[in-house]
Amino acid sequence: MATERALEPEYEVPTDGPEATCPYCGRPFQSDRYATFHVGVEHAEECTDAEQEAFDEERDDEEYDLFTFHFKTAISVFLVYFLFTFIYALVWAG
């Protein structure tokens, strides 16, 4: 019994209570989005078609957000590089 209790994870739940819980294991989550990801990853074999579709949509949204972030970061690095190159050229042109 002690080993079962030791293997059971503890969760930090906000004081105002969880917004969503997993319908399969009861784990609390701060948002529905996190619960959807959890169900799609941890309970993929037992989730319904609607839950799988919700997971796929959330994953697609996450991939788009990540692509947008990477694109903006690459453009920012590119612009900073050329700004410093321009400043360097101005300093040497004197």
Side-chain angles (χ1 to χ4, degrees):
M1 269 230 186
T3 41
E4 289 178 19
R5 181 175 249 179
L7 295 176
E8 189 174 311
E10 294 182 20
Y11 305 107
E12 290 185 26
V13 181
T15 56
D16 59 350
E19 186 176 311
T21 57
C22 175
Y24 300 101
C25 64
R27 181 177 177 181
F29 293 95
Q30 289 181 323
S31 73
D32 288 330
R33 184 177 192 187
Y34 298 148
T36 301
F37 278 124
H38 169 77
V39 169
V41 172
E42 298 296 326
H43 307 288
E45 296 84 25
E46 46 194 358
C47 69
T48 65
D49 290 338
E51 290 170 333
Q52 185 64 38
E53 186 176 321
F55 170 71
D56 291 339
E57 288 177 12
E58 287 292 343
R59 187 186 61 220
D60 291 344
D61 290 345
E62 181 86 5
E63 287 176 357
Y64 178 77
D65 291 343
L66 190 58
F67 170 77
T68 304
F69 172 75
H70 287 159
F71 184 73
K72 288 178 181 178
T73 303
I75 294 297
S76 298
V77 168
F78 178 77
L79 291 175
V80 168
Y81 172 78
F82 280 103
L83 174 69
F84 281 123
T85 303
F86 182 72
I87 291 171
Y88 180 78
L90 285 177
V91 168
W92 278 100

